[in-house]
Amino acid sequence: MPLGAAASSPEMGTGHGDHKDTSTNHTKKSFPVLSFDYGHVRLPFEISLWVLLASLMKLGFHLIPRVSSIVPESCLLIVVGLLIGGLMKLVGDVPIVLKSEIFFFYLLPPIILDAGYFLPIRPFTENLGTILMFAVVGTLWNAFFIGGLLYGVCQLEGVHLVQVDLLSCLLFGSIVSAVDPVAVLAVFEEIHINELLHILVFGESLLNDAVTVVLYHLFEEFRSVPSITFIDGLLGIACFLVVSLGGIIVGAIYGILAAFTSRFTSHTRVIEPLFVFVYSYMAYLSAEVFHLSGIMALIACGAVMRPYVEANISHKSHTTIKYFLKMWSSVSDTLIFIFLGVSTVAGEHQWNWTFVVMTVILCLVSRVLGVIGLTFIINKFRIMKLTTKDQFIIAYGGLRGAIAFSLCYLLDPHLFPKKNMFLTAIITVIFFTVFVQGMTIRPLVDLLAVKKKQETKRSINEEIHTQFLDHLLTGIEDVCGHYGHHHWKDKLNRFNKKYVKKCLIVGERSKEPQLIAFYHKMEMKQAIELVESGGGSKLPSAMPSTVSMQNIQPKKPPQLRALPQLSKAREEEIRNILRTNLQRTRQRLRSYNRHTLVADPYEDGWDEILMKRRKMKEMGKKISQMNNYLTVPAPPPDSPTVARARLASDPQAWGIEPVKESIPTIKVDLASPQSPESVSVVDELGKKSSQQKDCEEESGLMMKPPPLVERKDETGEDDDDGKEPKQLMRCLSDPGPSAEEEDEPFIF
């Protein structure tokens, strides 16, 4: 009752008929100065209190560096949740349980949106095949391995779990086998692992959501039907494709809508961040309506909208989106781990030592075997192989979290009577992976000397080299005829630049080259850092936005930057493309040879080509067996000095001159690779022996001309028509055909 209010008489509400008595006996109600009604604000007050508690815990954790360097933040938050749940039980209050609706609709979307919006697209797409292998094949292997062996354990005598059937074990295996993105982000961001391992483990935790959702609904549906047919299995496989691809399509549609809407927000900059959040959340809810993968929808929506939205919105809106997403995801992450601790105290548990211990052991064994087996297959196709250290970190980083707990909490206790035992086993697995693996992964990374992430700022020089290498690799693939991911990436970039940007980006920014856009972004970032560092007073008042900030030095001396070098992965990729495809190109084309460059038009078949190659090999062997090829003596006088040759392809390779006073010198264009195609017989006139000897002494070995032979054409007339006879000039270093080769055409 409000303070200061007087109590009315009992007759006030009894007599409706006697209006006069009621009005005279009524006491005037005083104005309430202070009142207490906690039930009216209980829900928002408790939510605000939990958010404040989570923020204070996060603040206190980072104020103690000695603790934060040993224990991960997620472990301390779970401990805080356990303490809060225990205190609530001591005072007689009912601890709050992390309900699945609260987790999936309010706590999980901010974390996934933050991961998808700021997802590093380049390393993600370059390692997409490896990520899909771990996310799809690895999750299927873990689910069936754990579920099948747990069913065998339940059938043993003395375990007292004979009533647990195969479908229940497979459903439990599908829930506990998925790597949790929340736990992976919480641990891997603290140890600063290198980008490759981080994107492999985190990408697997994002993409295995589709497999987990499909297996969960599949086994839950199979549990309620009397029999399972082969058609049901095929429909399950089709369901996986629909769930994964459907989630991506829904997210891409909402991302395009968000980018298109941002074209028209130039006059209302205040609501620009709102469109990003609302469209993303609508994509998640729309995917959940059709039981599609909401996580993949959020990832696709954030990745699709970001490049176009950032080109349209203002810099202040971009800063708002960035910090609000980081704040929202950090608070959700903290609340999830605190609620896990509280739910552990509040939940009803059914402990079975054999089932719980075997679950933990099988999770570790299946993870190790799956990573080793899949890496053995993946390394056959990867350019940069995954080393043993990388495999260990990938296997050891498979953490479980609140997604498995929430999925198990959704189970119907009528269909799954051992639901409480499953919850107990899952909580044990979560605590083991978060506490044991999460606390020991940092010293193991230091002990194994695993490469860590290097915090470096990109420069214009690095961007130029990156784009140059992309164009170079695309050109190499085009030359080799290899349609790799660089080729398709270039096609996609051209399509994006020609059509998509014109529709989704407003103004001249749609035609701006990527390098110029990166320069403007880096220029703005450097200007903001300069102002924040206290150097803003050096800036002139009317500085254009496109001025270079390189000449304005902040207070801190700039660090020397090493020149960008070609990474080993990129160098090995270039070598691999050339090694695997250049030989294929050579096999498709005819081999180059100066003797057989121009093929005979009548010799088109493969057999003729093989015969040519065989003859060339035999001739090469004969030439290699000859000693002192350039000093071979001239043939005897009675041997013919005119060689039959084919001159159709290049008749100008042989010079024909009229007979002069001296013996002619033969000049052959050695650089011409053409082979003679027709036979031309000409005569050389004999000269005096004294002149011949003098010429031999001056020019080397000469060939003696044969007797004059007259040639007539088909009409019977002389070929020369009374003109001077022609002669064939020949290279003196060539001995000409031997007597055994007279019947075969001699090829020069």
Side-chain angles (χ1 to χ4, degrees):
M1 180 176 292
L3 299 179
S8 58
S9 61
E11 292 85 1
M12 183 177 65
T14 56
H16 294 282
D18 194 358
H19 180 69
K20 183 177 180 180
D21 295 340
T22 303
S23 60
T24 55
N25 296 332
H26 177 71
T27 305
K28 185 179 180 180
K29 185 178 180 180
S30 302
F31 182 78
V33 179
L34 181 65
S35 60
F36 182 80
D37 189 5
Y38 176 70
H40 182 62
V41 296
R42 178 179 180 180
L43 182 61
F45 184 82
E46 290 182 353
I47 292 175
S48 302
L49 189 62
W50 277 105
V51 173
L52 178 62
L53 177 64
S55 303
L56 291 175
M57 290 298 152
K58 201 174 188 68
L59 179 63
F61 172 76
H62 289 285
L63 288 177
I64 310 175
R66 183 173 299 179
V67 177
S68 61
S69 61
I70 300 174
V71 183
E73 179 183 348
S74 55
C75 299
L76 288 179
L77 294 176
I78 290 178
V79 172
V80 170
L82 291 173
L83 294 177
I84 294 175
L87 290 176
M88 293 178 70
K89 263 199 168 182
L90 287 178
V91 299
D93 197 1
V94 180
I96 302 174
V97 180
L98 180 60
K99 296 183 179 180
S100 300
E101 292 80 7
I102 297 176
F103 173 76
F104 282 112
F105 290 153
Y106 305 109
L107 297 180
L108 183 62
I111 300 174
I112 303 302
L113 178 59
D114 175 62
Y117 191 80
F118 298 102
L119 182 70
I121 300 297
R122 188 182 187 91
F124 182 79
T125 53
E126 289 179 352
N127 299 280
L128 184 59
T130 305
I131 294 173
L132 287 176
M133 283 289 290
F134 284 125
V136 179
V137 183
T139 306
L140 289 174
W141 157 260
N142 292 337
F144 286 98
F145 182 84
I146 296 173
L149 291 184
L150 279 179
Y151 175 71
V153 171
C154 293
Q155 301 305 312
L156 296 177
E157 297 182 0
V159 182
H160 308 294
L161 295 175
V162 184
Q163 64 274 19
V164 180
D165 56 355
L166 179 60
L167 284 177
S168 300
C169 291
L170 290 177
L171 177 65
F172 175 76
S174 64
I175 294 174
V176 80
S177 62
V179 180
D180 190 82
V182 181
V184 170
L185 275 177
V187 174
F188 272 60
E189 286 187 351
E190 294 182 11
I191 62 178
H192 301 289
I193 201 68
N194 65 77
E195 194 175 39
L196 174 62
L197 295 179
H198 183 272
I199 200 63
L200 288 181
V201 181
F202 180 61
E204 175 193 357
S205 66
L206 290 177
L207 299 186
N208 64 9
D209 173 70
V211 183
T212 305
V213 169
V214 170
L215 292 178
Y216 179 83
H217 290 295
L218 189 67
F219 292 134
E220 189 179 27
E221 187 70 24
F222 286 170
R223 188 69 175 80
S224 59
V225 298
S227 61
I228 303 172
T229 61
F230 179 73
I231 302 298
D232 296 333
L234 294 180
L235 291 177
I237 298 175
C239 181
F240 164 72
L241 298 176
V242 171
V243 167
S244 56
L245 297 179
I248 294 174
I249 293 173
V250 170
I253 291 174
Y254 276 96
I256 293 174
L257 289 176
F260 185 76
T261 307
S262 64
R263 283 175 53 97
F264 311 101
T265 58
S266 58
H267 301 290
T268 52
R269 297 290 189 185
V270 181
I271 61 175
E272 285 177 339
L274 185 63
F275 287 116
V276 174
F277 304 140
V278 173
Y279 274 116
S280 302
Y281 193 57
M282 289 295 294
Y284 181 81
L285 295 180
S286 300
E288 291 294 332
V289 167
F290 299 99
H291 289 288
L292 303 176
S293 176
I295 291 180
M296 299 190 74
L298 270 180
I299 295 294
C301 182
V304 168
M305 76 163 66
R306 184 188 178 186
Y308 309 109
V309 168
E310 288 187 352
N312 293 328
I313 64 177
S314 64
H315 184 76
K316 291 182 179 180
S317 299
H318 170 68
T319 305
T320 303
I321 293 172
K322 177 182 177 182
Y323 285 102
F324 189 82
L325 279 180
K326 295 295 181 184
M327 177 203 68
W328 197 7
S329 63
S330 178
V331 172
S332 298
D333 181 68
T334 306
L335 288 174
I336 285 172
F337 286 110
I338 291 179
F339 275 125
L340 271 178
V342 175
S343 302
T344 303
V345 178
E348 298 179 1
H349 302 290
Q350 181 180 350
W351 187 266
N352 188 294
W353 276 100
T354 305
F355 189 83
V356 172
V357 173
M358 287 302 299
T359 300
V360 175
I361 294 175
L362 289 178
C363 284
L364 294 176
V365 173
S366 65
R367 179 69 180 175
V368 172
L369 294 180
V371 169
I372 293 176
L374 291 178
T375 307
F376 177 76
I377 300 174
I378 290 170
N379 279 342
K380 294 182 179 297
F381 303 96
R382 283 184 63 90
I383 298 173
M384 296 299 294
K385 313 297 182 185
L386 296 176
T387 62
T388 306
K389 295 180 182 179
D390 297 337
Q391 298 177 40
F392 176 78
I393 297 299
I394 293 173
Y396 206 75
L399 308 179
R400 273 69 169 181
I403 290 182
F405 175 83
S406 300
L407 287 176
C408 189
Y409 189 81
L410 287 174
L411 293 177
D412 188 1
H414 298 287
L415 296 177
F416 301 95
K418 293 295 182 180
K419 172 184 174 180
N420 293 333
M421 185 183 68
F422 291 165
L423 276 173
T424 305
I426 286 178
I427 290 175
T428 306
V429 172
I430 293 173
F431 282 14
F432 180 83
T433 56
V434 172
F435 281 90
V436 178
Q437 296 178 215
M439 292 178 63
T440 56
I441 192 171
R442 185 195 295 268
L444 285 175
V445 167
D446 297 334
L447 179 64
L448 296 175
V450 180
K451 184 180 178 181
K452 293 188 176 181
K453 184 179 181 181
Q454 299 177 354
E455 296 291 342
T456 57
K457 298 179 181 178
R458 296 185 65 184
S459 64
I460 291 291
N461 195 14
E462 292 179 1
E463 184 70 17
I464 292 174
H465 280 76
T466 301
Q467 294 190 20
F468 169 74
L469 286 175
D470 289 341
H471 290 300
L472 177 63
L473 287 169
T474 305
I476 291 175
E477 289 184 352
D478 288 340
V479 170
C480 296
H482 172 66
Y483 296 102
H485 66 278
H486 292 285
H487 173 81
W488 297 112
K489 180 182 176 182
D490 182 70
K491 294 289 186 184
L492 185 61
N493 287 336
R494 291 176 182 273
F495 178 79
N496 180 37
K497 184 178 180 181
K498 189 174 182 180
Y499 300 105
V500 182
K501 279 188 174 182
K502 294 180 180 180
C503 299
L504 301 183
I505 298 180
V506 65
E508 296 296 329
R509 298 291 298 272
S510 60
K511 302 177 182 179
E512 191 176 49
Q514 182 180 356
L515 190 62
I516 303 299
F518 177 78
Y519 172 74
H520 288 321
K521 186 186 300 183
M522 200 180 71
E523 183 184 64
M524 181 64 70
K525 185 177 180 181
Q526 189 174 2
I528 293 173
E529 291 177 355
L530 180 63
V531 173
E532 291 178 351
S533 63
S537 59
K538 299 180 182 180
L539 292 174
S541 57
M543 177 178 293
S545 61
T546 58
V547 73
S548 176
M549 308 299 296
Q550 300 295 333
N551 298 325
I552 305 174
Q553 300 293 336
K555 289 185 177 181
K556 297 182 180 180
Q559 299 180 355
L560 296 177
R561 179 184 295 275
L563 292 176
Q565 298 180 355
L566 186 64
S567 62
K568 293 183 178 180
R570 191 57 57 86
E571 183 179 353
E572 188 63 27
E573 184 177 9
I574 296 175
R575 290 180 179 175
N576 182 66
I577 293 174
L578 293 175
R579 187 187 309 116
T580 55
N581 296 282
L582 195 56
Q583 181 64 27
R584 213 175 289 167
T585 306
R586 289 174 177 172
Q587 292 175 359
R588 288 197 301 267
L589 300 177
R590 295 179 178 177
S591 59
Y592 174 82
N593 191 300
R594 69 187 185 92
H595 300 295
T596 60
L597 184 63
V598 179
D600 191 353
Y602 300 100
E603 297 177 354
D604 297 329
W606 179 251
D607 296 335
E608 286 78 7
I609 296 176
L610 293 179
M611 289 177 62
K612 272 190 174 183
R613 291 185 178 179
R614 188 176 63 213
K615 287 182 179 181
M616 294 304 302
K617 290 181 180 179
E618 292 177 356
M619 184 176 296
K621 290 180 181 179
K622 290 181 180 180
I623 293 175
S624 61
Q625 293 174 0
M626 297 174 61
N627 297 324
N628 302 324
Y629 178 76
L630 297 178
T631 59
V632 172
D638 54 346
S639 63
T641 59
V642 179
R644 292 177 291 116
R646 295 175 294 175
L647 292 172
S649 60
D650 190 7
Q652 301 299 327
W654 298 81
I656 300 177
E657 296 182 357
V659 179
K660 298 180 181 180
E661 295 296 332
S662 60
I663 296 178
T665 303
I666 302 173
K667 297 180 181 179
V668 180
D669 186 5
L670 298 179
S672 175
Q674 308 298 334
S675 60
E677 296 287 342
S678 62
V679 179
S680 178
V681 181
V682 294
D683 300 329
E684 297 179 356
L685 298 176
K687 297 295 180 179
K688 298 179 181 180
S689 59
S690 59
Q691 295 177 356
Q692 181 179 1
K693 291 180 180 179
D694 295 339
C695 185
E696 288 181 358
E697 291 176 359
E698 293 177 1
S699 304
L701 299 176
M702 307 297 293
M703 297 182 183
K704 296 180 180 181
L708 182 59
V709 180
E710 296 182 355
R711 238 175 76 185
K712 296 183 179 181
D713 53 10
E714 295 178 358
T715 58
E717 298 179 359
D718 292 342
D719 192 32
D720 294 333
D721 294 334
K723 297 181 181 180
E724 293 182 359
K726 298 179 181 180
Q727 57 186 5
L728 174 65
M729 296 182 294
R730 184 181 180 85
C731 179
L732 298 181
S733 62
D734 194 341
S738 60
E740 294 79 10
E741 299 175 353
E742 272 302 310
D743 296 332
E744 298 181 3
F746 187 79
I747 301 177
F748 292 92

